[in-house]
Amino acid sequence: MSAARLKLLVVGVGGQGVLTAARLLGEAAMKAGLDVSVGQLHGMSQRGGAVECSVIIGGAKSSYVAAGQADIVLALEPLEALRALPMMSKRTRVVVNLGKIVPYSLAIQGKDYPSIAGILAGVEETASRPYTIDGSGLTEQVGLPRALNVVMLGALAGLGLLPFADEILWQTIEKKIPERFAAANRNAFELGRGATEGKQG
Amino acid sequence: MSRRPKDPLLVDVEGHAECLLGNEAIVRGALEAGLAFASGYPGTPSSEISDSFARLAGSAKLVFEYSINEKIALETAFGASLAGARAMCAMKHLGLMYAGDPLSTIPYIGPVGGLVIVSAGDPSCRTSPNEQDQRLLAPMLHIPVLDPSTPEEAYRMAIFAFDLSEQSRLPVLLRPTTRVCHSRAVIRYGRLRSPVVTGFVRDPLRFVPIPANARRLRIELGKKVETARRLIESSAFVSATGGGELAILASGAPAATCADLLEELNLTDKLRLVTLGAVYPLPEEKLLALLDGVRRVLVVEELSPFVEDALGALLKHRGLSLELLGKRSGHLPVEFEYTPEIIQRAIQTGLGLGREVPKQPSFQLAPARPPSLCPGCPHRPAQFALRAVFGDEGLYFNDIGCYTLGYGPPLNTADALLSMGAAFTLAAGVARVTGRRTVGIMGDSTFFHSGMPALLEAVRQDADIVAVVLDNHVTGMTGFQESPTVERIGDEFRRNVTISSVAKVLGASHVETVDPYDLPATIAAFERARAAQGVSVVVCERTCPVHLARETKAPRPTTVYQVDPLRCRICSREECGMRCGQEVDLGFESFMARGRVLEIDKSAGNLPGQAPCSLSCPLGLCIQGYIGHIASGNYQAALEEIVRRVPLPESVCRVCHRPCEAACVRTAVDEPLAVNDLKRFVVDWAAKNMPAYDPERDDPCGMRVAIVGAGPSGLAAAHDLCLRGYAVTLYDAEEKPGGILRYGIPGYRLPGQALDRDIDRIINLGVRFEGNRRMGRDFSCASLLEQGFQAVYLALGAGHGLPLEIEGAGAAGNPEMVDALDFLRQIESRSVPSRVVVVGGGNAAMDAARSARRLGAGKVVVAYRRDRDEMPAIADEIDASLSEGVELATRLVPVRLEPGRLVCLRTEPGETDASGRRRPVPIEGSEIELPADLVIAAIGQRPEFEEPGFDQTPGGLVQVENIFLQTSNERVFAGGDLVPGERTVTSAVACGQRAGWAIDRRLRGEQIADRRPPPPPPGDGRRWTRPGIDRADHLPRVRPEELAGEKRLEGFDEVVSVLSEGQARAEASRCLSCGTCGNCRACLDLFGCPAFFEKDGLAAIDPGLCNGCGVCAELCPNGAIHSVVAPGMEPGS
């Protein structure tokens, strides 16, 4: 496989900002002079369905990530991390936000959401010990309930695997937010980075 | 002054890079080609094309419209093209079929300004009801097709397509699929070109394809196609990399996947990858040149073997041999999108290159997360209301839009779906051949797209359909594109077209508009629609809240809703230990939710509590419970609830005095529920369908109880004590058990067979019955206790009539006088003369009068000393007796018997007495003679009980303590007519149950006895009020058939029949479900708002997801949902 290609998956629930996160990553890679392909198949996502985006940094023509081929999985929701298990292999690094969103279909059937500890164990078995993020705690800390995707992008930066500087990613984010929220978003980014930088899963 | 940053798609700098979606790249390409006109209809995965044009139209000096439908979009674009403007038209694959008519003629006429049609394909039907290979239209309609594999290629193709179109004089179909439309890649810009419109230049021989012109244009088509072929051959869109004898020929998105795959498998140099971006007309020469030297080629394309077959035909035609692999050889599937694994497998099996796809380990399955309607979506209450009205029997035809999510639980409003606007046509088709009234559901955008002609046709044919239009003022599913109903001008929303006006203009006469957030009004509108004939149109109008939030930038609601855990799933009979804990089904929940919705004026704060019917019931039945089960068709569950509390169901369902009906709140609207008739329906059904009675019983406890009196009270006590594990001996003075049920109430009210079923059920529990045993003569209380009975229950009733002491009684020649109870006891063996007078106004009097008529008395008069409305008899009994020819003579008191007559005095009301009624005062000198040969005295009853050692009233009733029915002897209990209190069969049965509990409590203690709690003392349900309830729809009470007048008197056959199933269900749905229920999950099971979840077995709402629409509060049967200030919205926060 081409050494330059980094295959990321961003997964979550419609409305969490998954598409935006993938798009920002693509733009950051482009800004850094790299070729990038972002796959964001959507249509019914905003009606609370599952969302999966792919970001392939470095010269891919298609935006497919085949089974077992993800280098990094950013999961904004635990059940979506479980759903993404087939995309992982031993080399995959995984960041999981622990805040769960129960699918309404489970709620109305009175069935249980799978145990988060079980999901994390599954990720560890298939890939590696995941980094966990207390998304709602951190966004509450910065006072921005909708900044989960920025926290997760910070966590991604902290992994140290991106082929470009963290600042480029931050600048791409900053361009997209109103100035009055810039400082709080920067905090969110930093908190996310702090959760993974220099740490084991 | 800062300049507003330019839209990224409008940056006019050579070499500028943007990371664009394939759809956006196409837009950029078109703008660089000098596009002057764009049109489209939203459709995933193409929507971003039109959305981008919409956003840019002003700045880019572009004329743009979201057309009503794709046919209009294409025709309008072609019009622009004829006027010399470069035009682009965008839609999804289905839209292209919709525009089929103009699409088929445009190639003949040919564009003037280049016309590029972008129709996005959807392999794997991600957002469509089918997948289609639009490339197959190309040879049929003579349209060049460009099939991009990457966003970057799509950008270059968009530019090229306009030149191709103008030079070949053919429209060009640019056909990206989802993977290309919705992937982003780096696009490096060229320069924008200003649009140029050369103007409409007449050319009728070309522009007007009347048949003569059409035939000539047809012949020119061949040349046009060849022109296109030459342009394609010399374009960059047929290319190859690598080399060797093995090749892959790929087109579309799979070509990009192949390129990446070959790199990863290190095969880039080991085989040839030919990418075919222009698939029609096939660039034959260039293709063959690129395949020169290849001996085997694997054709990789999605959907149909279009390129594969074209290549195969070409090879055959040219006499070339080349091994062709692909779908036809079975190396690749025909359907769906190609993942890298599918292609890798084909490369390995077909070309022997690369490596096997590793076997996937099995993974824990993640529960599905299907999309759902957003919290607060008006389509939810609209479809909930539809389902509440049309029920399981309704036939629902749905359409394409967000509301399609009504498919499946919990809303279940999609029995079939076809295409845009087909909801009405499918509904009409089914209605017209079956005669059933059907329902069609579509949105506003869909209505304008193609629902209007469908509605017109339905009106023309007078089809029996309910046409529902859900107008949320936007095209929501595809990304909130505008809809013709409401338009945003600056900061204001302006209404454009109202759907109800359109419907009326199309000829619909029954048209209503409702706000779906107003659930009662919406249900009422659907009910009117259901009852109507022909076409009924109901428009449910409310702006999509997500759209509104996006437009007004006010995303957070200030009010949200919360579930009160103290009211959720609370049974109103919890305190008396009578929570049933039954499973309820969806029909039952729908019944309760509907009842709650219809409770008018919830603002009056009258929360549901214990339903007034249950409150009044001496047996403590959950009436709402069994009526709900009947409404839902679950008769077995209804039976379970009835049998739980009614040990003599056949009798009670016939002779109960029905305090529940007197308390029913529907009395304020129309008529009370026929509660007892409904009970009878279930009991009757059970007799035919259910196996023998086998209740859950405690183990035998080894103790014995004696019960004296086998009337309703004694039988109920026997039943209760048997279930508790006692050995019961039941004594009665008569030969058979039944008491007043057998010997007092005539067979036309309570047939002997029905009574026997009740009694056998109890005796078969193991009760030892001893008939012809009279207390006083054959045994005494003391003797029973000495015999080893641990307790005695006295239920002797009050079976002796009070004597009518008047002059002339018993004298020879005077009319015979007999006590009513004796008369009724002797019914089978006695005869009556033709003139009978019954003195009294209670049930015994009615029974005697009606029996006398049946025995042949020609003239039966009931003489009562007060007025009719003061008669203690059940009102229906009085009505029945009058309809059977009994005469009622009120305000008469008997004074003496004379030969052939009873002499009475008139009375007038005097002072009020202890019963609250005015005492009748005889009027001196007002004598009246009633002709009579038999006088039946029914002026009151008393017990005959002379055991020593008991406190008794002056009237002979035994005094007992109210709760424990204990007499002055601590091991002797008493109840029923023997003790002071209500004199009804039902309360006697309740006493029997209470006695069983009290005895068990005395003998085995509270803990054991309380496991089977007694019925609670009834309250007065008539004091219940329901403000505003008189605004509910009036529905007449359903009545069971009754024997016709003349037939009744022929014998003692039962007069009142049982409701049919249809009648029972109809009557049951009149119930307003006034009480709370402990088994309810209506919000989760029927409504399904994603803001709801379950917590500790109760419903809960996530305030972060709640939209504050409050519809859930309307339907919660327990009134457990109420509004609160949204967190973070409190004043000062």
Side-chain angles (χ1 to χ4, degrees):
Chain A
M1 104 163 195
S2 165
R5 254 180 229 166
L6 185 67
K7 299 189 183 182
L8 300 95
L9 285 180
V10 187
V11 301
V13 179
Q16 285 190 302
V18 173
L19 269 62
T20 307
R23 175 185 178 159
L24 289 171
L25 266 177
E27 288 179 1
M30 178 185 73
K31 204 172 148 88
L34 297 167
D35 207 359
V36 67
S37 179
V38 179
Q40 44 172 94
L41 278 59
H42 58 268
M44 308 263 274
S45 331
Q46 69 194 59
R47 313 281 175 259
V51 188
E52 180 190 281
C53 288
S54 56
V55 183
I56 304 175
I57 303 178
K61 287 201 149 146
S62 85
S63 58
Y64 271 110
V65 174
Q69 298 288 305
D71 295 310
I72 299 174
V73 174
L74 279 188
L76 275 67
E77 202 276 343
L79 182 57
E80 298 316 308
L82 177 63
R83 205 184 309 285
L85 278 186
M87 311 304 283
M88 303 179 196
S89 66
K90 282 297 167 203
R91 71 163 181 281
T92 313
R93 307 280 280 282
V94 184
V95 183
V96 181
N97 169 38
L98 296 173
K100 70 181 184 192
I101 300 178
V102 182
Y104 89 101
S105 49
L106 278 187
I108 67 171
Q109 286 167 44
K111 293 206 182 121
D112 286 326
Y113 187 98
S115 106
I116 294 186
I119 294 173
L120 297 175
V123 171
E124 184 165 358
E125 198 190 314
T126 305
S128 53
R129 178 123 60 101
Y131 297 85
T132 55
I133 302 281
D134 172 18
S136 58
L138 295 180
T139 53
E140 208 181 295
Q141 207 175 318
V142 303
L144 288 177
R146 319 219 99 231
L148 175 63
N149 54 356
V150 176
V151 171
M152 295 299 279
L153 287 174
L156 170 63
L159 290 177
L161 296 172
L162 288 175
F164 52 82
D166 296 353
E167 266 317 293
I168 296 184
L169 179 53
W170 166 248
Q171 281 161 23
T172 312
I173 296 170
E174 194 179 19
K175 259 180 40 178
K176 286 285 186 298
I177 53 191
E179 208 179 303
R180 66 188 190 278
F181 294 128
N185 271 286
R186 179 81 207 201
N187 283 345
F189 187 80
E190 290 305 327
L191 285 173
R193 180 153 62 176
T196 56
E197 194 167 44
K199 298 196 165 79
Q200 294 288 69
Chain B
M1 179 178 100
S2 67
R3 281 186 55 205
R4 224 183 12 177
K6 232 186 169 56
D7 191 292
L9 282 175
L10 290 180
V11 173
D12 193 8
V13 173
E14 180 88 33
H16 175 83
E18 285 288 343
C19 186
L20 297 182
L21 281 179
N23 282 345
E24 294 170 330
I26 290 171
V27 168
R28 175 67 193 191
L31 292 173
E32 290 186 14
L35 186 74
F37 178 89
S39 61
Y41 186 80
T44 312
S46 72
S47 310
E48 292 79 7
I49 297 174
S50 297
D51 291 348
S52 301
F53 283 136
R55 197 176 69 241
L56 304 173
S59 331
K61 298 189 214 54
L62 181 69
V63 176
F64 167 77
E65 67 177 52
Y66 279 119
S67 306
I68 291 285
N69 61 44
E70 293 87 347
K71 176 175 188 282
I72 289 173
L74 179 58
E75 290 166 350
T76 316
F78 186 59
S81 159
L82 284 182
R86 285 191 158 184
M88 175 172 269
C89 177
M91 62 198 67
K92 68 184 289 171
H93 63 293
L94 296 162
L96 194 63
M97 298 299 277
Y98 198 90
D101 180 354
L103 188 66
S104 61
T105 304
I106 288 173
Y108 279 57
I109 300 173
V112 175
L115 174 63
V116 177
I117 304 164
V118 186
S119 177
D122 183 12
S124 295
C125 321
R126 284 168 179 273
T127 58
S128 312
N130 64 48
E131 60 176 19
Q132 296 169 18
D133 194 339
Q134 299 107 305
R135 302 174 304 168
L136 290 163
L137 289 170
M140 174 175 151
L141 301 177
H142 320 281
I143 299 178
V145 178
L146 302 174
D147 193 2
S149 62
T150 63
E152 200 274 336
E153 198 173 33
Y155 157 72
R156 287 185 291 113
M157 281 179 177
I159 302 172
F160 169 69
F162 286 97
D163 288 328
L164 175 60
S165 174
E166 280 167 12
Q167 289 168 40
S168 65
R169 289 223 297 207
L170 289 169
V172 172
L173 175 62
L174 176 56
R175 201 268 339 224
T177 55
T178 308
R179 179 63 50 180
V180 173
C181 292
H182 283 173
S183 286
R184 287 184 182 274
V186 178
I187 309 293
R188 284 176 211 287
Y189 286 6
R191 294 299 305 278
L192 293 172
R193 205 203 294 190
S194 284
V196 168
V197 179
T198 53
F200 188 88
V201 176
R202 285 197 178 82
D203 188 355
L205 286 174
R206 174 183 158 194
F207 290 172
V208 186
I210 50 169
N213 290 343
R215 285 189 280 269
R216 198 190 63 250
L217 293 169
R218 170 67 187 93
I219 292 167
E220 288 171 21
L221 261 180
K223 280 197 230 113
K224 298 192 330 184
V225 172
E226 287 314 306
T227 305
R229 194 192 306 276
R230 276 196 312 276
L231 290 163
I232 283 169
E233 294 247 15
S234 62
S235 78
F237 301 115
V238 195
S239 60
T241 56
E245 288 186 322
L246 301 172
I248 294 177
L249 171 59
S251 82
T257 313
C258 285
D260 289 342
L261 203 49
L262 292 185
E263 229 189 279
E264 287 178 22
L265 297 170
N266 276 317
L267 295 175
T268 325
D269 300 323
K270 297 204 180 61
L271 49 70
R272 222 178 286 197
L273 174 60
V274 180
T275 301
L276 191 62
V279 297
Y280 184 85
L282 196 68
E284 294 169 348
E285 302 312 325
K286 182 122 182 233
L287 185 56
L288 290 175
L290 291 174
L291 288 172
D292 187 34
V294 169
R295 67 172 168 82
R296 183 190 298 171
V297 64
L298 173 69
V299 182
V300 180
E301 61 188 327
E302 281 167 344
L303 303 177
S304 76
F306 181 74
V307 170
E308 187 179 330
D309 287 349
L311 179 58
L314 175 64
L315 294 171
K316 185 161 177 210
H317 177 70
R318 301 285 179 100
L320 299 168
S321 71
L322 172 57
E323 204 183 335
L324 193 54
L325 306 180
K327 294 178 208 283
R328 300 240 179 241
S329 62
H331 286 87
L332 286 162
V334 177
E335 56 286 293
F336 308 153
E337 212 178 308
Y338 285 179
T339 60
E341 293 89 324
I342 291 173
I343 300 175
Q344 183 174 333
R345 209 170 280 126
I347 294 175
Q348 207 257 323
T349 56
L351 302 177
L353 292 175
R355 50 177 183 266
E356 257 186 54
V357 176
K359 219 175 146 62
Q360 273 267 292
S362 61
F363 290 99
Q364 181 189 346
L365 218 53
R369 188 188 295 274
S372 70
L373 294 172
C374 306
C377 175
H379 298 333
R380 179 176 287 108
Q383 294 187 98
F384 169 86
L386 261 180
R387 187 85 191 171
V389 170
F390 290 89
D392 288 347
E393 307 82 42
L395 290 178
Y396 308 91
F397 297 93
N398 214 302
D399 216 295
I400 317 279
C402 281
Y403 42 85
T404 315
L405 292 168
Y407 169 76
L411 296 170
N412 285 308
T413 46
D415 290 317
L417 179 152
L418 182 63
S419 47
M420 295 284 284
F424 295 168
T425 31
L426 288 175
V430 172
R432 296 195 70 205
V433 298
T434 61
R436 289 181 64 168
R437 191 158 179 72
T438 56
V439 179
I441 306 159
M442 68 174 67
D444 50 300
S445 192
T446 309
F447 176 78
F448 288 108
H449 183 289
S450 39
M452 288 189 289
L455 179 61
L456 176 59
E457 181 65 16
V459 170
R460 280 186 66 213
Q461 303 297 344
D462 200 29
D464 216 7
I465 71 168
V466 176
V468 181
V469 183
L470 303 176
D471 184 0
N472 63 351
H473 301 152
V474 77
T475 313
M477 174 73 95
T478 42
F480 305 105
Q481 291 84 11
E482 63 184 48
S483 149
T485 50
V486 172
E487 194 186 341
R488 180 140 189 232
I489 311 280
D491 279 333
E492 279 179 21
F493 286 94
R494 186 182 73 187
R495 166 171 313 281
N496 278 347
V497 190
T498 56
I499 293 175
S500 55
S501 323
V502 174
K504 286 178 193 148
V505 164
L506 292 178
S509 51
H510 179 191
V511 181
E512 291 194 45
T513 303
V514 284
D515 175 3
Y517 276 6
D518 184 351
L519 206 46
T522 306
I523 289 184
F526 286 138
E527 281 178 339
R528 288 190 287 277
R530 184 182 61 169
Q533 288 176 327
V535 175
S536 292
V537 178
V538 180
V539 182
C540 297
E541 189 176 348
R542 176 162 281 271
T543 311
C544 166
V546 177
H547 173 57
L548 193 60
R550 283 159 58 112
E551 294 295 303
T552 60
K553 300 271 184 284
R556 302 273 320 276
T558 51
T559 300
V560 294
Y561 282 75
Q562 208 176 76
V563 179
D564 180 350
L566 294 177
R567 287 196 71 88
C568 177
R569 288 171 73 84
I570 192 74
C571 171
S572 55
R573 305 173 333 137
E574 192 93 42
E575 282 157 13
C576 16
M578 298 180 87
R579 186 186 184 117
C580 72
Q582 257 185 330
E583 287 267 321
V584 296
D585 59 22
L586 297 178
F588 187 92
E589 288 177 331
S590 183
F591 156 80
M592 281 201 298
R594 197 166 156 282
R596 170 69 177 157
V597 168
L598 293 176
E599 277 177 31
I600 319 296
D601 202 1
K602 287 185 263 292
S603 65
N606 212 348
L607 287 175
Q610 190 173 0
C613 49
S614 291
L615 189 60
S616 321
C617 177
L619 298 175
L621 265 170
C622 179
I623 291 167
Q624 166 182 312
Y626 77 78
I627 289 186
H629 289 305
I630 295 174
S632 158
N634 187 352
Y635 310 131
Q636 178 161 354
L639 179 72
E640 277 167 27
E641 174 56 31
I642 292 169
V643 159
R644 199 198 310 275
R645 308 257 35 113
V646 187
L648 293 153
E650 302 260 8
S651 308
V652 168
C653 76
R654 289 170 169 85
V655 308
C656 182
H657 61 294
R658 299 170 264 137
C660 52
E661 295 182 14
C664 179
V665 299
R666 274 208 92 103
T667 314
V669 184
D670 34 49
E671 293 171 279
L673 264 284
V675 177
N676 222 28
D677 290 332
L678 287 169
K679 188 187 291 99
R680 168 116 180 249
F681 166 77
V682 176
V683 170
D684 200 73
W685 173 88
K688 297 187 190 104
N689 292 291
M690 291 302 292
Y693 181 54
D694 184 19
E696 198 201 310
R697 305 170 66 162
D698 294 347
D699 293 330
C701 66
M703 289 191 269
R704 301 166 60 210
V705 175
I707 299 176
V708 185
S713 194
L715 286 164
H719 173 266
D720 193 85
L721 286 161
C722 276
L723 295 191
R724 292 176 191 268
Y726 289 86
V728 174
T729 305
L730 181 58
Y731 297 96
D732 197 279
E734 300 290 344
E735 186 189 334
K736 293 194 201 173
I740 199 138
L741 297 173
R742 187 185 304 282
Y743 298 103
I745 296 176
Y748 60 80
R749 284 180 71 200
L750 176 54
Q753 277 185 330
L755 176 62
D756 284 335
R757 285 196 288 271
D758 268 351
I759 291 177
D760 290 343
R761 188 191 289 116
I762 295 176
I763 300 295
N764 289 342
L765 291 175
V767 172
R768 185 192 159 97
F769 174 71
E770 296 197 16
N772 290 320
R773 304 267 271 138
R774 181 177 291 279
M775 177 164 249
R777 180 188 77 197
D778 303 318
F779 58 88
S780 67
C781 267
S783 73
L784 290 174
L785 291 169
E786 277 159 31
Q787 268 174 51
F789 290 107
Q790 266 80 13
V792 177
Y793 178 54
L794 301 174
L796 288 86
H800 294 262
L802 293 176
L804 183 58
E805 274 148 10
I806 51 175
E807 271 182 61
N814 281 352
E816 182 194 352
M817 186 153 75
V818 66
D819 171 67
L821 298 182
D822 290 336
F823 174 74
L824 291 168
R825 217 177 262 121
Q826 299 153 12
I827 282 283
E828 274 169 32
S829 56
R830 80 160 288 154
S831 61
V832 296
S834 60
R835 302 176 309 176
V836 175
V837 172
V838 178
V839 180
N843 287 321
M846 297 300 108
D847 288 341
R850 295 176 71 187
S851 299
R853 285 285 287 151
R854 282 161 172 78
L855 290 174
K859 188 171 171 73
V860 176
V861 177
V862 170
Y864 179 61
R865 58 191 183 139
R866 289 184 165 103
D867 289 320
R868 175 179 168 164
D869 52 11
E870 293 172 288
M871 289 170 72
I874 295 173
D876 281 4
E877 288 297 307
I878 304 173
D879 289 338
S881 65
L882 292 173
S883 77
E884 287 167 11
V886 170
E887 291 169 42
L888 182 58
T890 53
R891 294 199 186 180
L892 289 181
V893 65
V895 290
R896 71 178 171 277
L897 288 165
E898 286 179 0
R901 56 188 167 273
L902 172 70
V903 180
C904 304
L905 278 177
R906 288 204 187 284
T907 68
E908 62 187 355
E911 286 168 11
T912 312
D913 71 11
S915 73
R917 299 177 292 173
R918 298 176 70 184
R919 184 187 297 281
V921 177
I923 301 170
E924 281 300 318
S926 69
E927 284 193 354
I928 291 229
E929 294 175 355
L930 295 177
D933 302 305
L934 171 67
V935 173
I936 303 178
I939 58 170
Q941 296 163 220
R942 62 168 172 77
E944 194 178 317
F945 180 75
E946 278 150 20
E947 292 285 296
F950 291 96
D951 292 338
Q952 288 177 267
T953 66
L957 303 173
V958 175
Q959 298 275 36
V960 289
E961 180 279 333
N962 267 342
I963 305 291
F964 301 106
L965 300 181
Q966 188 132 51
T967 65
S968 38
N969 181 327
E970 67 174 7
R971 295 213 279 146
V972 179
F973 301 77
D977 282 2
L978 179 63
V979 306
E982 205 176 287
R983 286 261 179 99
T984 60
V985 167
T986 314
S987 37
V989 170
C991 264
Q993 293 178 315
R994 176 164 289 275
W997 167 77
I999 289 172
D1000 196 17
R1001 206 166 194 272
R1002 172 80 177 75
L1003 296 177
R1004 294 197 291 176
E1006 260 178 66
Q1007 230 185 351
I1008 295 181
D1010 285 356
R1011 283 176 305 127
R1012 293 178 186 268
D1020 188 354
R1022 284 170 305 171
R1023 291 216 206 93
W1024 243 69
T1025 55
R1026 220 1 133 237
I1029 202 173
D1030 56 340
R1031 291 181 355 236
D1033 279 346
H1034 289 241
L1035 298 165
R1037 170 169 166 154
V1038 178
R1039 296 187 182 281
E1041 301 234 329
E1042 294 186 0
L1043 269 189
E1046 327 77 60
K1047 284 206 79 65
R1048 295 190 191 193
L1049 302 179
E1050 284 169 17
F1052 281 72
D1053 286 344
E1054 192 170 9
V1055 170
V1056 178
S1057 175
V1058 65
L1059 292 170
S1060 70
E1061 186 172 355
Q1063 287 180 310
R1065 293 190 67 176
E1067 181 62 8
S1069 356
R1070 285 200 321 130
C1071 174
L1072 292 175
S1073 198
C1074 300
T1076 62
C1077 183
N1079 307 320
C1080 169
R1081 286 178 86 241
C1083 53
L1084 296 166
D1085 290 341
L1086 301 179
F1087 201 57
C1089 174
F1092 274 78
F1093 61 101
E1094 212 171 342
K1095 182 175 168 179
D1096 304 326
L1098 301 178
I1101 298 173
D1102 182 341
L1105 293 177
C1106 176
N1107 181 68
C1109 72
V1111 176
C1112 54
E1114 288 280 319
L1115 61 89
C1116 169
N1118 287 9
I1121 302 179
H1122 54 270
S1123 63
V1124 294
V1125 177
M1129 293 288 174
E1130 299 88 355
S1133 65

